[in-house]
Amino acid sequence: MRFLKSLGLAAAFAASVLAAPASAQSALQDILSQGVLKVGTTGDWNPMTVRDPASNTFKGYDIDVMTQLAADLGVELEFVPTDWKTLVNGVVAGNYHMTGSASISPARMKAAGFSDSYIAVEILPFTTDDKVDGFSGWESINASNVKVATTLGTSFEGMVREWFPDAEITVVEAPARGFQEVLSGRADVFVTSNIEGATLLTKFPNLRQIEIDAPRAPTPIAMLMPQDDQVWINYVNSWIELKKAQGFFETTAAKWGL
């Protein structure tokens, strides 16, 4: 009886396996068979990814990283323009195999996977030189007479809403950026990473970092990837580990002043 019962369970299991749909092919197999790695990038995060409108080409830290990944895969590289509010959706929909650098956040983790981190950022507040004396510390920004600008869909949007509930929040949609609202005088403050902040201070002499006790939200940066594609995630994570050991990320960061 036990043998017959076991045989019946085995048969039922086999039938269920045969009836189940075939598992989806990993992005890794798709990339290798098609010969193309598709990467979503916004082109508006200097010096990580910057798009040249005249030539429709990209440059930056992310671009160098993805170029090397494609070379090591032995495939062509195709950048797919996207924006911050649709960055995750593009991965989920299969518009690209991965993205360039993005901050790891619980909201994004609900829908997409992440690679291992290879660089980190921390967040700082900025204003213009004519307003900088009016601020001292993070709490001075959280006031009803202060306009804080941010870009829709970025991690910064959630931060400013949480940190400055008493301030007036202005949200702009890409390709507009929060810092442009401050430069134009339509807002008083924006927050961004130390990475982008250093670049903006060099590019715009009238921008100033607000004096604070310490940066906020130290955040690891990684590539967004399909959440259920562990084969592809494992490949990229092993590649990151290898490139760290070879000093690639350190050299690339130095090239872009990071």
Side-chain angles (χ1 to χ4, degrees):
M1 281 298 289
R2 286 182 180 178
F3 172 76
L4 292 175
K5 185 176 181 181
S6 298
L7 188 63
L9 289 173
F13 174 75
S16 68
V17 169
L18 291 173
S23 58
Q25 177 174 274
S26 169
L28 178 60
Q29 279 72 51
D30 180 62
I31 292 162
L32 296 175
S33 62
Q34 298 295 323
V36 178
L37 170 63
K38 296 180 180 179
V39 177
T41 191
T42 63
D44 65 352
W45 186 14
N46 194 2
M48 305 298 280
T49 169
V50 181
R51 177 178 171 270
D52 179 0
S55 61
N56 196 33
T57 58
F58 296 88
K59 64 179 181 179
Y61 174 91
D62 272 2
I63 308 309
D64 287 357
V65 170
M66 294 303 168
T67 299
Q68 186 62 55
L69 175 58
D72 288 344
L73 281 162
V75 299
E76 298 296 318
L77 177 60
E78 178 184 336
F79 287 111
V80 181
T82 185
D83 56 41
W84 294 105
K85 72 178 184 298
T86 60
L87 191 69
V88 173
N89 292 340
V91 172
V92 174
N95 296 339
Y96 29 81
H97 300 114
M98 65 194 315
T99 72
S101 297
S103 57
I104 300 175
S105 71
R108 287 171 174 166
M109 287 189 295
K110 292 176 183 177
F114 278 97
S115 72
D116 289 343
S117 179
Y118 42 87
I119 196 170
V121 299
E122 51 192 14
I123 309 305
L124 302 168
F126 297 85
T127 188
T128 47
D129 54 7
D130 60 322
K131 298 177 180 177
V132 69
D133 290 339
F135 298 100
S136 179
W138 288 103
E139 286 307 314
S140 66
I141 303 170
N142 187 32
S144 60
N145 63 335
V146 175
K147 293 182 180 180
V148 180
T150 188
T151 306
L152 181 67
T154 62
S155 57
F156 306 129
E157 181 188 358
M159 291 174 186
V160 299
R161 292 188 185 280
E162 177 185 351
W163 295 345
F164 314 124
D166 296 333
E168 180 181 339
I169 308 299
T170 299
V171 180
V172 296
E173 189 168 348
R177 293 292 306 279
F179 73 83
Q180 294 170 333
E181 294 295 294
V182 173
L183 286 170
S184 70
R186 292 188 292 269
D188 304 309
V189 175
F190 71 95
V191 302
T192 191
S193 67
N194 56 315
I195 291 175
E196 183 176 48
T199 302
L200 292 175
L201 288 174
T202 301
K203 186 175 182 179
F204 301 105
N206 61 324
L207 278 183
R208 296 287 184 273
Q209 180 188 317
I210 295 172
E211 188 175 334
I212 53 173
D213 291 334
R216 285 185 174 180
T219 305
I221 297 297
M223 307 161 191
L224 279 161
M225 305 180 70
Q227 191 178 59
D228 58 353
D229 193 345
Q230 199 59 52
V231 171
W232 178 220
I233 292 173
N234 287 346
Y235 178 92
V236 173
N237 285 346
S238 296
W239 181 84
I240 289 171
E241 191 67 24
L242 175 63
K243 291 301 176 182
K244 282 182 177 179
Q246 295 174 343
F248 168 73
F249 286 103
E250 184 177 346
T251 300
T252 305
K255 172 185 174 181
W256 293 101
L258 302 178

